[in-house]
Amino acid sequence: MTSSPGPVVVRALLVAELRTLRHRRAPGGEAAARDPDWTPGRLARVENWTPRTPVEDLAALLDHRGAAPEQRERLLRLAEEARHSAWWEPYLTGWDDPEFARYLAYEAAAVSISAVEVLHVPALLQTEEYARAVLGAYWPDATRERIDTLVELRQRRRLQLDERDERDVTQVYLLDEAVIRRRTGSTEVMLGQLDRLLQEAGRPNVTIQVLPMAAAHTAFTGPFWLLETGEGIDDVLHLERSPRSSTYIGASPELAEHRVAFARLGDDALSPDRSRELLETVRAEMA
């Protein structure tokens, strides 16, 4: 089942195209600026697609700016889609981490995902059993229903990426060696998780590299995720923290610093082939 990337991303796409139309300075756009019906406030509401903006205003602006019929139809469709709830919202009911929700709004639009993990296997690579063991350890008082909901969210996020393979979503994961050696759940759970990592490492758009314990990793800043997104959508930095994470949208010193840290850690990490060999060795030892 294919899902929308969510209202935040859809709105970003819509706003980006509206700004492109404006910057083309077509005669229709100049007419809109001179039309007394198009006050600066009304223009800003439509161009930024603020909540409760009438779709009729968007249609009128597109006509003023000479949008092609195909573009007009697509942007009106995006406008309606931006009013809907995101697919993940029901999963986060009662979740006191709005920054994580902000991150999810952009993950579905990513063309490149880079992650550093120092404690556990990254959420997008976890098996259901491993995810349940991790979440159960973090929230020992949570109901089974709550844990099941969060496990399903992780599997749904993975499914989103699987559906987009044809668009080549590049994924690079740097894992501390402790991640693959630390037993989370039973031995059977860990063996299944190591098998999943080996399977994922064989996919053309997924790279898994292990940061060996023998090396000193001066760039460690804790687990973090970097998203590169499509044209018109800001890139994202997500810092995994407990009890609440932090998310940075768009250019920032933090985003730049973590890009540098990721590059340095990548230099310290084993090659993909040597990482795969280590995964196989750890699996054999654990079995």
Side-chain angles (χ1 to χ4, degrees):
M1 178 178 60
T2 301
S3 300
S4 162
V8 172
V9 169
V10 169
R11 175 180 172 272
L13 292 169
L14 173 61
V15 169
E17 290 211 43
L18 289 175
R19 289 175 179 170
T20 298
L21 270 176
R22 168 161 51 87
H23 291 310
R24 285 176 183 168
R25 299 185 181 278
E30 295 170 3
R34 294 193 304 268
D35 191 324
D37 289 338
W38 286 99
T39 63
R42 185 186 181 200
L43 275 172
R45 282 192 298 273
V46 178
E47 288 191 329
N48 292 297
W49 198 238
T50 56
R52 296 183 294 279
T53 302
V55 175
E56 293 76 13
D57 281 5
L58 174 60
L61 183 62
L62 293 173
D63 291 339
H64 271 300
R65 292 194 167 159
E70 299 81 5
Q71 185 182 31
R72 184 182 188 278
E73 180 181 352
R74 185 179 69 259
L75 294 185
L76 289 174
R77 186 168 61 249
L78 287 177
E80 289 292 347
E81 197 173 333
R83 297 185 188 279
H84 299 161
S85 297
W87 64 264
W88 61 83
E89 289 182 6
Y91 292 97
L92 298 183
T93 301
W95 182 283
D96 187 21
D97 190 357
E99 294 293 291
F100 178 60
R102 292 182 71 208
Y103 166 80
L104 286 182
Y106 287 84
E107 185 181 80
V111 296
S112 174
I113 298 175
S114 304
V116 172
E117 283 290 351
V118 299
L119 295 175
H120 301 293
V121 171
L124 292 174
L125 301 180
Q126 292 178 3
T127 65
E128 290 188 30
E129 295 78 10
Y130 184 94
R132 185 167 283 105
V134 170
L135 293 166
Y138 268 111
W139 292 286
D141 297 329
T143 64
R144 180 177 178 82
E145 291 74 17
R146 182 58 177 157
I147 296 298
D148 287 345
T149 297
L150 296 176
V151 170
E152 184 179 342
L153 171 61
R154 295 191 174 189
Q155 299 304 306
R156 181 82 179 272
R157 289 166 60 195
R158 172 182 159 83
L159 179 61
Q160 296 289 310
L161 294 180
D162 288 347
E163 290 173 342
R164 298 173 57 212
D165 268 356
E166 67 275 9
R167 289 197 277 169
D168 295 327
V169 184
T170 303
Q171 302 169 62
V172 181
Y173 300 99
L174 304 182
L175 313 183
D176 186 53
E177 186 176 343
V179 169
I180 64 174
R181 291 191 178 277
R182 178 179 294 108
R183 288 179 183 263
T184 300
S186 66
T187 298
E188 182 179 5
V189 167
M190 279 303 302
L191 291 175
Q193 181 59 69
L194 291 171
D195 286 339
R196 167 65 65 80
L197 290 176
L198 287 166
Q199 176 186 352
E200 292 292 325
R203 297 174 64 178
N205 63 323
V206 176
T207 299
I208 297 176
Q209 294 179 254
V210 177
L211 293 155
M213 291 181 179
H217 310 303
T218 57
F220 259 149
T221 60
F224 65 90
W225 295 65
L226 293 166
L227 303 182
E228 293 184 10
T229 51
E231 185 177 353
I233 305 175
D234 291 324
D235 292 346
V236 175
L237 163 67
H238 180 68
L239 305 180
E240 289 189 349
R241 301 293 185 266
S242 181
R244 296 177 184 84
S245 57
S246 298
T247 300
Y248 299 84
I249 310 296
S252 66
E254 292 81 5
L255 178 64
E257 290 167 5
H258 282 78
R259 280 177 172 161
V260 171
F262 189 87
R264 289 177 177 171
L265 288 170
D267 291 339
D268 291 342
L270 300 176
S271 69
D273 287 342
R274 290 185 61 197
S275 296
R276 184 181 182 90
E277 291 173 2
L278 180 57
L279 281 167
E280 291 171 342
T281 297
V282 171
R283 191 201 184 286
E285 292 172 353
M286 198 169 294

